[in-house]
PDB file of all heavy atoms in Angstrom:
ATOM      1  N   PRO A 295      -6.066  18.979  -0.284  1.00  0.00           N
ATOM      2  CA  PRO A 295      -7.409  19.376   0.142  1.00  0.00           C
ATOM      3  C   PRO A 295      -8.052  18.243   0.925  1.00  0.00           C
ATOM      4  O   PRO A 295      -7.757  17.062   0.690  1.00  0.00           O
ATOM      5  CB  PRO A 295      -8.128  19.617  -1.192  1.00  0.00           C
ATOM      6  CG  PRO A 295      -7.038  19.852  -2.182  1.00  0.00           C
ATOM      7  CD  PRO A 295      -5.888  19.008  -1.730  1.00  0.00           C
ATOM      8  N   PRO A 296      -8.918  18.533   1.890  1.00  0.00           N
ATOM      9  CA  PRO A 296      -9.578  17.479   2.658  1.00  0.00           C
ATOM     10  C   PRO A 296     -10.334  16.530   1.738  1.00  0.00           C
ATOM     11  O   PRO A 296     -10.938  16.949   0.749  1.00  0.00           O
ATOM     12  CB  PRO A 296     -10.534  18.268   3.564  1.00  0.00           C
ATOM     13  CG  PRO A 296      -9.953  19.631   3.645  1.00  0.00           C
ATOM     14  CD  PRO A 296      -9.315  19.882   2.311  1.00  0.00           C
ATOM     15  N   VAL A 297     -10.282  15.245   2.040  1.00  0.00           N
ATOM     16  CA  VAL A 297     -11.004  14.259   1.258  1.00  0.00           C
ATOM     17  C   VAL A 297     -12.172  13.734   2.079  1.00  0.00           C
ATOM     18  O   VAL A 297     -12.055  13.521   3.289  1.00  0.00           O
ATOM     19  CB  VAL A 297     -10.074  13.086   0.840  1.00  0.00           C
ATOM     20  CG1 VAL A 297      -9.442  12.437   2.052  1.00  0.00           C
ATOM     21  CG2 VAL A 297     -10.836  12.048   0.031  1.00  0.00           C
ATOM     22  N   LYS A 298     -13.291  13.558   1.436  1.00  0.00           N
ATOM     23  CA  LYS A 298     -14.456  13.010   2.116  1.00  0.00           C
ATOM     24  C   LYS A 298     -14.239  11.522   2.317  1.00  0.00           C
ATOM     25  O   LYS A 298     -14.046  10.771   1.360  1.00  0.00           O
ATOM     26  CB  LYS A 298     -15.718  13.261   1.282  1.00  0.00           C
ATOM     27  CG  LYS A 298     -16.981  12.718   1.939  1.00  0.00           C
ATOM     28  CD  LYS A 298     -18.200  12.983   1.068  1.00  0.00           C
ATOM     29  CE  LYS A 298     -19.466  12.415   1.728  1.00  0.00           C
ATOM     30  NZ  LYS A 298     -20.658  12.656   0.876  1.00  0.00           N
ATOM     31  N   LEU A 299     -14.250  11.091   3.559  1.00  0.00           N
ATOM     32  CA  LEU A 299     -14.022   9.689   3.879  1.00  0.00           C
ATOM     33  C   LEU A 299     -15.366   9.021   4.126  1.00  0.00           C
ATOM     34  O   LEU A 299     -16.094   9.391   5.039  1.00  0.00           O
ATOM     35  CB  LEU A 299     -13.128   9.571   5.126  1.00  0.00           C
ATOM     36  CG  LEU A 299     -11.756  10.246   5.018  1.00  0.00           C
ATOM     37  CD1 LEU A 299     -10.998  10.106   6.330  1.00  0.00           C
ATOM     38  CD2 LEU A 299     -10.951   9.669   3.873  1.00  0.00           C
ATOM     39  N   ASN A 300     -15.688   8.062   3.301  1.00  0.00           N
ATOM     40  CA  ASN A 300     -16.978   7.386   3.399  1.00  0.00           C
ATOM     41  C   ASN A 300     -16.756   5.896   3.190  1.00  0.00           C
ATOM     42  O   ASN A 300     -16.913   5.378   2.090  1.00  0.00           O
ATOM     43  CB  ASN A 300     -17.946   7.945   2.351  1.00  0.00           C
ATOM     44  CG  ASN A 300     -19.335   7.346   2.478  1.00  0.00           C
ATOM     45  OD1 ASN A 300     -19.723   6.880   3.546  1.00  0.00           O
ATOM     46  ND2 ASN A 300     -20.087   7.335   1.388  1.00  0.00           N
ATOM     47  N   TYR A 301     -16.343   5.219   4.254  1.00  0.00           N
ATOM     48  CA  TYR A 301     -15.988   3.813   4.144  1.00  0.00           C
ATOM     49  C   TYR A 301     -16.687   3.003   5.234  1.00  0.00           C
ATOM     50  O   TYR A 301     -17.176   3.541   6.227  1.00  0.00           O
ATOM     51  CB  TYR A 301     -14.469   3.633   4.273  1.00  0.00           C
ATOM     52  CG  TYR A 301     -13.884   4.244   5.526  1.00  0.00           C
ATOM     53  CD1 TYR A 301     -13.963   3.585   6.752  1.00  0.00           C
ATOM     54  CD2 TYR A 301     -13.263   5.484   5.487  1.00  0.00           C
ATOM     55  CE1 TYR A 301     -13.455   4.137   7.906  1.00  0.00           C
ATOM     56  CE2 TYR A 301     -12.744   6.055   6.640  1.00  0.00           C
ATOM     57  CZ  TYR A 301     -12.840   5.379   7.847  1.00  0.00           C
ATOM     58  OH  TYR A 301     -12.326   5.943   8.988  1.00  0.00           O
ATOM     59  N   THR A 302     -16.718   1.700   5.020  1.00  0.00           N
ATOM     60  CA  THR A 302     -17.181   0.763   6.032  1.00  0.00           C
ATOM     61  C   THR A 302     -15.998  -0.122   6.426  1.00  0.00           C
ATOM     62  O   THR A 302     -14.925  -0.066   5.793  1.00  0.00           O
ATOM     63  CB  THR A 302     -18.331  -0.115   5.505  1.00  0.00           C
ATOM     64  OG1 THR A 302     -17.864  -0.885   4.379  1.00  0.00           O
ATOM     65  CG2 THR A 302     -19.509   0.749   5.065  1.00  0.00           C
ATOM     66  N   TYR A 303     -16.188  -0.941   7.436  1.00  0.00           N
ATOM     67  CA  TYR A 303     -15.107  -1.818   7.857  1.00  0.00           C
ATOM     68  C   TYR A 303     -15.689  -3.089   8.466  1.00  0.00           C
ATOM     69  O   TYR A 303     -16.798  -3.099   8.996  1.00  0.00           O
ATOM     70  CB  TYR A 303     -14.177  -1.120   8.851  1.00  0.00           C
ATOM     71  CG  TYR A 303     -14.866  -0.559  10.067  1.00  0.00           C
ATOM     72  CD1 TYR A 303     -15.073  -1.344  11.206  1.00  0.00           C
ATOM     73  CD2 TYR A 303     -15.322   0.756  10.088  1.00  0.00           C
ATOM     74  CE1 TYR A 303     -15.716  -0.842  12.325  1.00  0.00           C
ATOM     75  CE2 TYR A 303     -15.958   1.275  11.209  1.00  0.00           C
ATOM     76  CZ  TYR A 303     -16.154   0.473  12.313  1.00  0.00           C
ATOM     77  OH  TYR A 303     -16.799   0.963  13.419  1.00  0.00           O
ATOM     78  N   SER A 304     -14.924  -4.160   8.373  1.00  0.00           N
ATOM     79  CA  SER A 304     -15.322  -5.427   8.980  1.00  0.00           C
ATOM     80  C   SER A 304     -15.405  -5.267  10.490  1.00  0.00           C
ATOM     81  O   SER A 304     -14.605  -4.534  11.096  1.00  0.00           O
ATOM     82  CB  SER A 304     -14.318  -6.523   8.622  1.00  0.00           C
ATOM     83  OG  SER A 304     -14.239  -6.697   7.210  1.00  0.00           O
ATOM     84  N   SER A 305     -16.347  -5.957  11.110  1.00  0.00           N
ATOM     85  CA  SER A 305     -16.609  -5.772  12.541  1.00  0.00           C
ATOM     86  C   SER A 305     -15.385  -6.047  13.406  1.00  0.00           C
ATOM     87  O   SER A 305     -15.199  -5.404  14.447  1.00  0.00           O
ATOM     88  CB  SER A 305     -17.774  -6.656  12.983  1.00  0.00           C
ATOM     89  OG  SER A 305     -17.494  -8.027  12.724  1.00  0.00           O
ATOM     90  N   HIS A 306     -14.530  -6.991  13.001  1.00  0.00           N
ATOM     91  CA  HIS A 306     -13.369  -7.317  13.833  1.00  0.00           C
ATOM     92  C   HIS A 306     -12.297  -6.228  13.797  1.00  0.00           C
ATOM     93  O   HIS A 306     -11.303  -6.319  14.525  1.00  0.00           O
ATOM     94  CB  HIS A 306     -12.778  -8.667  13.419  1.00  0.00           C
ATOM     95  CG  HIS A 306     -12.204  -8.691  12.037  1.00  0.00           C
ATOM     96  ND1 HIS A 306     -12.971  -8.865  10.916  1.00  0.00           N
ATOM     97  CD2 HIS A 306     -10.927  -8.562  11.595  1.00  0.00           C
ATOM     98  CE1 HIS A 306     -12.213  -8.852   9.841  1.00  0.00           C
ATOM     99  NE2 HIS A 306     -10.966  -8.665  10.226  1.00  0.00           N
ATOM    100  N   LEU A 307     -12.492  -5.192  12.980  1.00  0.00           N
ATOM    101  CA  LEU A 307     -11.550  -4.080  12.921  1.00  0.00           C
ATOM    102  C   LEU A 307     -12.018  -2.887  13.763  1.00  0.00           C
ATOM    103  O   LEU A 307     -11.472  -1.791  13.649  1.00  0.00           O
ATOM    104  CB  LEU A 307     -11.352  -3.631  11.470  1.00  0.00           C
ATOM    105  CG  LEU A 307     -10.788  -4.677  10.507  1.00  0.00           C
ATOM    106  CD1 LEU A 307     -10.699  -4.101   9.097  1.00  0.00           C
ATOM    107  CD2 LEU A 307      -9.421  -5.181  10.972  1.00  0.00           C
ATOM    108  N   HIS A 308     -13.007  -3.119  14.621  1.00  0.00           N
ATOM    109  CA  HIS A 308     -13.624  -2.020  15.371  1.00  0.00           C
ATOM    110  C   HIS A 308     -12.623  -1.194  16.170  1.00  0.00           C
ATOM    111  O   HIS A 308     -12.736   0.035  16.259  1.00  0.00           O
ATOM    112  CB  HIS A 308     -14.694  -2.569  16.309  1.00  0.00           C
ATOM    113  CG  HIS A 308     -15.276  -1.526  17.217  1.00  0.00           C
ATOM    114  ND1 HIS A 308     -16.089  -0.510  16.761  1.00  0.00           N
ATOM    115  CD2 HIS A 308     -15.122  -1.316  18.563  1.00  0.00           C
ATOM    116  CE1 HIS A 308     -16.422   0.271  17.771  1.00  0.00           C
ATOM    117  NE2 HIS A 308     -15.857  -0.195  18.872  1.00  0.00           N
ATOM    118  N   GLN A 309     -11.632  -1.848  16.763  1.00  0.00           N
ATOM    119  CA  GLN A 309     -10.689  -1.107  17.609  1.00  0.00           C
ATOM    120  C   GLN A 309      -9.935  -0.042  16.816  1.00  0.00           C
ATOM    121  O   GLN A 309      -9.532   0.994  17.374  1.00  0.00           O
ATOM    122  CB  GLN A 309      -9.698  -2.061  18.260  1.00  0.00           C
ATOM    123  CG  GLN A 309      -8.795  -2.809  17.286  1.00  0.00           C
ATOM    124  CD  GLN A 309      -7.745  -3.634  17.996  1.00  0.00           C
ATOM    125  OE1 GLN A 309      -7.015  -3.131  18.851  1.00  0.00           O
ATOM    126  NE2 GLN A 309      -7.676  -4.916  17.664  1.00  0.00           N
ATOM    127  N   TYR A 310      -9.761  -0.269  15.503  1.00  0.00           N
ATOM    128  CA  TYR A 310      -9.030   0.695  14.680  1.00  0.00           C
ATOM    129  C   TYR A 310      -9.916   1.844  14.206  1.00  0.00           C
ATOM    130  O   TYR A 310      -9.420   2.804  13.610  1.00  0.00           O
ATOM    131  CB  TYR A 310      -8.405  -0.021  13.484  1.00  0.00           C
ATOM    132  CG  TYR A 310      -7.520  -1.159  13.916  1.00  0.00           C
ATOM    133  CD1 TYR A 310      -7.928  -2.485  13.763  1.00  0.00           C
ATOM    134  CD2 TYR A 310      -6.292  -0.917  14.519  1.00  0.00           C
ATOM    135  CE1 TYR A 310      -7.134  -3.539  14.186  1.00  0.00           C
ATOM    136  CE2 TYR A 310      -5.485  -1.959  14.949  1.00  0.00           C
ATOM    137  CZ  TYR A 310      -5.916  -3.270  14.778  1.00  0.00           C
ATOM    138  OH  TYR A 310      -5.117  -4.303  15.206  1.00  0.00           O
ATOM    139  N   ALA A 311     -11.224   1.739  14.511  1.00  0.00           N
ATOM    140  CA  ALA A 311     -12.159   2.816  14.195  1.00  0.00           C
ATOM    141  C   ALA A 311     -12.405   3.715  15.398  1.00  0.00           C
ATOM    142  O   ALA A 311     -13.101   4.727  15.283  1.00  0.00           O
ATOM    143  CB  ALA A 311     -13.482   2.229  13.697  1.00  0.00           C
ATOM    144  N   LEU A 312     -11.855   3.352  16.557  1.00  0.00           N
ATOM    145  CA  LEU A 312     -11.983   4.198  17.739  1.00  0.00           C
ATOM    146  C   LEU A 312     -11.247   5.513  17.508  1.00  0.00           C
ATOM    147  O   LEU A 312     -10.354   5.608  16.660  1.00  0.00           O
ATOM    148  CB  LEU A 312     -11.399   3.487  18.959  1.00  0.00           C
ATOM    149  CG  LEU A 312     -12.078   2.177  19.381  1.00  0.00           C
ATOM    150  CD1 LEU A 312     -11.283   1.529  20.506  1.00  0.00           C
ATOM    151  CD2 LEU A 312     -13.519   2.420  19.805  1.00  0.00           C
ATOM    152  N   SER A 313     -11.599   6.527  18.252  1.00  0.00           N
ATOM    153  CA  SER A 313     -10.917   7.815  18.109  1.00  0.00           C
ATOM    154  C   SER A 313      -9.421   7.616  18.300  1.00  0.00           C
ATOM    155  O   SER A 313      -8.979   6.751  19.069  1.00  0.00           O
ATOM    156  CB  SER A 313     -11.450   8.814  19.118  1.00  0.00           C
ATOM    157  OG  SER A 313     -11.041   8.472  20.429  1.00  0.00           O
ATOM    158  N   LEU A 314      -8.650   8.422  17.611  1.00  0.00           N
ATOM    159  CA  LEU A 314      -7.202   8.266  17.682  1.00  0.00           C
ATOM    160  C   LEU A 314      -6.687   8.473  19.104  1.00  0.00           C
ATOM    161  O   LEU A 314      -5.766   7.774  19.545  1.00  0.00           O
ATOM    162  CB  LEU A 314      -6.532   9.248  16.719  1.00  0.00           C
ATOM    163  CG  LEU A 314      -5.041   9.035  16.476  1.00  0.00           C
ATOM    164  CD1 LEU A 314      -4.771   7.638  15.947  1.00  0.00           C
ATOM    165  CD2 LEU A 314      -4.513  10.085  15.512  1.00  0.00           C
ATOM    166  N   SER A 315      -7.279   9.387  19.826  1.00  0.00           N
ATOM    167  CA  SER A 315      -6.848   9.617  21.206  1.00  0.00           C
ATOM    168  C   SER A 315      -7.114   8.397  22.086  1.00  0.00           C
ATOM    169  O   SER A 315      -6.292   8.022  22.930  1.00  0.00           O
ATOM    170  CB  SER A 315      -7.555  10.847  21.784  1.00  0.00           C
ATOM    171  OG  SER A 315      -8.961  10.681  21.764  1.00  0.00           O
ATOM    172  N   THR A 316      -8.264   7.742  21.881  1.00  0.00           N
ATOM    173  CA  THR A 316      -8.589   6.528  22.640  1.00  0.00           C
ATOM    174  C   THR A 316      -7.633   5.400  22.284  1.00  0.00           C
ATOM    175  O   THR A 316      -7.133   4.681  23.174  1.00  0.00           O
ATOM    176  CB  THR A 316     -10.037   6.092  22.360  1.00  0.00           C
ATOM    177  OG1 THR A 316     -10.932   7.124  22.778  1.00  0.00           O
ATOM    178  CG2 THR A 316     -10.373   4.801  23.095  1.00  0.00           C
ATOM    179  N   PHE A 317      -7.373   5.237  21.001  1.00  0.00           N
ATOM    180  CA  PHE A 317      -6.467   4.180  20.556  1.00  0.00           C
ATOM    181  C   PHE A 317      -5.058   4.422  21.098  1.00  0.00           C
ATOM    182  O   PHE A 317      -4.388   3.490  21.553  1.00  0.00           O
ATOM    183  CB  PHE A 317      -6.442   4.118  19.035  1.00  0.00           C
ATOM    184  CG  PHE A 317      -5.692   2.937  18.486  1.00  0.00           C
ATOM    185  CD1 PHE A 317      -6.297   1.692  18.381  1.00  0.00           C
ATOM    186  CD2 PHE A 317      -4.372   3.071  18.086  1.00  0.00           C
ATOM    187  CE1 PHE A 317      -5.599   0.601  17.883  1.00  0.00           C
ATOM    188  CE2 PHE A 317      -3.665   1.986  17.585  1.00  0.00           C
ATOM    189  CZ  PHE A 317      -4.284   0.749  17.486  1.00  0.00           C
ATOM    190  N   ARG A 318      -4.621   5.670  21.068  1.00  0.00           N
ATOM    191  CA  ARG A 318      -3.290   5.999  21.577  1.00  0.00           C
ATOM    192  C   ARG A 318      -3.186   5.710  23.077  1.00  0.00           C
ATOM    193  O   ARG A 318      -2.178   5.179  23.551  1.00  0.00           O
ATOM    194  CB  ARG A 318      -2.975   7.463  21.292  1.00  0.00           C
ATOM    195  CG  ARG A 318      -1.545   7.866  21.599  1.00  0.00           C
ATOM    196  CD  ARG A 318      -1.318   9.341  21.287  1.00  0.00           C
ATOM    197  NE  ARG A 318      -1.545   9.638  19.880  1.00  0.00           N
ATOM    198  CZ  ARG A 318      -0.650   9.436  18.920  1.00  0.00           C
ATOM    199  NH1 ARG A 318       0.519   8.916  19.224  1.00  0.00           N
ATOM    200  NH2 ARG A 318      -0.927   9.753  17.682  1.00  0.00           N
TER     201      ARG A 318
END
Side-chain angles (χ1 to χ4, degrees):
V297 57
K298 180 180 179 181
L299 302 178
N300 184 24
Y301 54 80
T302 61
Y303 55 88
S304 300
S305 59
H306 65 278
L307 299 178
H308 174 70
Q309 63 174 308
Y310 304 106
L312 298 174
S313 70
L314 191 58
S315 59
T316 299
F317 188 82
R318 188 180 299 278

